[in-house]
Amino acid sequence: AWNLKTRALTEMVYVDEIDMDQEGIAEMILDENAIAQVARPGTSLKLPGTSQGGGPSPAVRPVTQSGRPITGFVRPSTQSGRPSTMEQAIRTPRTALTARPITSASGGYIRLGTASMLTNPDGPFINLSRLNLTKYAQKPKLAKALFEYIFHHENDVKNALDLAALATEHAQFKDWWWKVQIGKCYYRLGLYREAEKQFKSALKQQDMVDTILYLAKVYVRLDQPVTALNLFKQGLERFPGEVTLICGIARIYEEMNNISSAAEYYKDVLKQDNTHVEAIACIGSNHFYSDQPEIALRFYRRLLQMGVYNCQLFNNLGLCCFYAQQYDMTLSSFERALFLAENEEETADVWYNLGHVAVGIGDLNLAYQCFKLTLVNNNDYAEAYNNLAVLEMRKGHTEQARALLQTASSLAPHMYEPHFNIAILSEKVGDLQRSYTAAQKSEEAFPGHVDTQQLLKQLKEHFAML
């Protein structure tokens, strides 16, 4: 699924100062996975704004909480929560409650060696604690199937790693497949340097696209996007025209806020595979935020022709039609998006965008109702609180507007709009100290915002006169 919000709102992230004592510094030196606290410009995903790629301003294209611009495609690898500690990684979050039962047994008596492979009606398909991993590791065909089951179905990384280690030892460290699996286990456990060694060793034995992709994931997690880009480009020399590698380069450029380079690589993806949904969606999103809704509309219509039929697509079609002044299709697209919404978050997004359409046509009462419906479906929608506050302020309801803005700023402190609006509101009622504090927060969230800089300049001049 892909997501496209209106160009009105942004999100940014703060990085608090880190006070490190001697023990912390020593810990950093000894930790192989530690990275530099301050990266060079254009080499870090944590500070994408430092990239010299001509990326869009946060006032034009909203960004996520981590500071990256909103992409045209929601990717599972960036949305799913990863384990933050070793204990969380080792713990098995899923059980085989829906495993297929064994239909019959060959005899009344079962040998002890196969007892662990049978299932109880309410129990797991395989009781991992009773498996003799050493025995199974000596049977390559069975060991590989068993590893896939343990790793992907049971999500038991510890036992999967034990099996892979025994199997690669039995194969005399000559089987590249087992090295890749050990690398995957290390990656899941957060041991990125060990995973890097395994993937590199596997690549020396067997050049595979999947291994390159896994190794690039390691470098991204280590916040080394330039190394990952070089790896992808080396892979393209050996596998010319490989779509997954080109797409990987485009994703990293997009995360580094180098949107122009990302768009070029997504176009290269479409030259190889003109039905690549992610590339079409990302190029369409880029055109939309570049003030070219008519061109974006062509890309989203292409997705519709390909058979993609969901809430997000019709939501984007509605926005593109509105900004391209094709009003006959706008409301029908949003109606279809509401009909296809699968959860309350999607419904809230559609109502929020309908609120922007209402603001655009000047119907502020309809806009007020749409933003209210957004909050009915998703009570944590900071952008809706901010926009409702603006409408309340237009009605002269200062206290209600202030309360809504404070809610928005507490829900999303990385957005600059609520802070700036609080600063304007406080300045109008004469609370200059609060106005100055809020304006500083707005400047931290979006240093390039001209109105914030002008307000700060006025406040400083006023304080100097006092």
Side-chain angles (χ1 to χ4, degrees):
W2 48 96
N3 199 0
L4 181 71
K5 289 189 179 178
T6 56
R7 63 190 81 184
L9 298 160
T10 63
E11 300 171 10
M12 289 287 283
V13 72
Y14 297 108
V15 179
D16 294 327
E17 291 184 6
I18 300 172
D19 295 325
M20 296 186 65
D21 53 9
Q22 290 182 355
E23 186 180 338
I25 293 170
E27 212 171 274
M28 237 188 90
I29 294 170
L30 296 173
D31 185 6
E32 284 188 337
N33 294 317
I35 59 175
Q37 294 295 330
V38 181
R40 289 177 295 164
T43 63
S44 173
L45 294 175
K46 292 185 177 179
L47 296 171
T50 59
S51 171
Q52 305 298 317
S57 159
V60 176
R61 181 169 188 163
V63 292
T64 63
Q65 189 165 353
S66 60
R68 300 171 185 171
I70 283 184
T71 179
F73 197 86
V74 178
R75 304 180 183 97
S77 60
T78 57
Q79 296 296 311
S80 58
R82 290 190 176 85
S84 57
T85 63
M86 188 71 75
E87 289 77 13
Q88 287 178 356
I90 294 173
R91 193 183 305 128
T92 56
R94 289 181 293 167
T95 56
L97 296 176
T98 56
R100 186 180 53 154
I102 298 294
T103 53
S104 63
S106 56
Y109 297 98
I110 305 163
R111 290 183 295 117
L112 188 62
T114 57
S116 62
M117 295 296 288
L118 289 182
T119 181
N120 298 322
D122 300 321
F125 179 58
I126 295 176
N127 191 347
L128 298 179
S129 61
R130 298 177 62 181
L131 285 181
N132 183 356
L133 296 178
T134 307
K135 184 182 76 173
Y136 290 111
Q138 295 171 1
K139 302 175 181 178
K141 293 180 181 177
L142 184 58
K144 290 183 178 181
L146 182 60
F147 175 87
E148 296 281 350
Y149 176 84
I150 296 172
F151 186 81
H152 293 292
H153 189 273
E154 293 295 324
N155 201 23
D156 189 343
V157 183
K158 181 179 178 297
N159 278 321
L161 181 59
D162 290 342
L163 176 62
L166 291 168
T168 193
E169 190 177 343
H170 179 261
Q172 298 178 348
F173 306 99
K174 293 179 181 177
D175 192 339
W176 65 271
W177 191 87
W178 282 114
K179 292 183 179 180
V180 172
Q181 308 317 308
I182 293 174
K184 285 162 66 175
C185 292
Y186 281 144
Y187 177 84
R188 189 77 68 86
L189 291 170
L191 303 171
Y192 302 120
R193 288 300 179 188
E194 282 78 2
E196 178 192 9
K197 292 173 188 172
Q198 295 293 332
F199 290 138
K200 280 185 173 179
S201 178
L203 274 175
K204 285 180 182 176
Q205 287 185 349
Q206 181 72 34
D207 210 3
M208 295 288 290
V209 174
D210 280 355
T211 314
I212 295 172
L213 294 173
Y214 279 122
L215 185 54
K217 281 180 71 176
V218 170
Y219 287 132
V220 169
R221 293 295 290 170
L222 286 171
D223 196 21
Q224 296 180 359
V226 177
T227 310
L229 286 173
N230 292 334
L231 178 69
F232 278 133
K233 288 172 182 176
Q234 290 168 11
L236 281 174
E237 292 174 4
R238 303 193 295 272
F239 300 97
E242 176 59 42
V243 170
T244 51
L245 298 180
I246 304 172
C247 192
I249 295 174
R251 287 176 183 175
I252 291 177
Y253 274 129
E254 194 171 47
E255 290 177 2
M256 292 173 69
N257 204 10
N258 192 343
I259 304 298
S260 54
S261 297
E264 291 300 320
Y265 277 98
Y266 278 128
K267 288 174 184 175
D268 289 343
V269 170
L270 291 183
K271 288 176 185 175
Q272 304 295 331
D273 178 10
N274 58 9
T275 60
H276 198 277
V277 174
E278 181 180 345
I280 296 173
C282 289
I283 294 173
S285 172
N286 185 38
H287 282 300
F288 177 82
Y289 287 117
S290 301
D291 264 342
Q292 297 172 324
E294 301 90 351
I295 302 175
L297 190 59
R298 290 172 55 191
F299 283 92
Y300 289 124
R301 284 178 59 194
R302 167 68 176 160
L303 289 175
L304 199 61
Q305 291 168 352
M306 284 166 48
V308 178
Y309 192 79
N310 56 23
C311 168
Q312 290 88 347
L313 178 57
F314 281 100
N315 176 48
N316 295 354
L317 282 169
L319 280 175
C320 290
C321 287
F322 176 70
Y323 285 110
Q325 300 181 2
Q326 298 184 16
Y327 301 120
D328 53 336
M329 289 292 294
T330 302
L331 290 179
S332 59
S333 296
F334 281 125
E335 282 177 4
R336 190 63 58 87
L338 284 171
F339 177 73
L340 292 171
E342 295 179 355
N343 52 50
E344 290 182 339
E345 284 75 14
E346 291 180 3
T347 308
D349 275 339
V350 179
W351 280 118
Y352 174 76
N353 288 328
L354 274 167
H356 269 285
V357 171
V359 170
I361 62 176
D363 192 343
L364 298 185
N365 289 327
L366 175 60
Y368 190 86
Q369 294 299 323
C370 288
F371 291 135
K372 281 285 189 183
L373 283 167
T374 302
L375 296 178
V376 167
N377 287 284
N378 183 0
N379 200 35
D380 292 335
Y381 214 105
E383 293 93 336
Y385 282 110
N386 177 75
N387 294 359
L388 272 174
V390 175
L391 294 177
E392 292 285 6
M393 191 60 198
R394 288 177 65 93
K395 294 178 181 178
H397 302 158
T398 307
E399 289 305 316
Q400 289 166 328
R402 184 191 299 278
L404 288 166
L405 287 171
Q406 286 174 344
T407 305
S409 61
S410 62
L411 284 172
H414 43 270
M415 282 168 44
Y416 78 92
E417 287 93 347
H419 297 303
F420 175 71
N421 292 339
I422 289 173
I424 290 290
L425 190 60
S426 301
E427 196 260 344
K428 282 185 178 178
V429 299
D431 191 347
L432 300 183
Q433 182 60 44
R434 180 178 291 181
S435 175
Y436 184 72
T437 306
Q440 282 183 316
K441 290 180 180 177
S442 173
E443 188 182 35
E444 281 184 57
F446 180 19
H449 192 222
V450 177
D451 292 337
T452 301
Q453 293 170 357
Q454 290 177 349
L455 179 61
L456 279 170
K457 184 180 177 183
Q458 289 175 9
L459 290 170
K460 286 176 182 176
E461 287 175 357
H462 186 78
F463 292 146
M465 288 171 62
L466 295 175

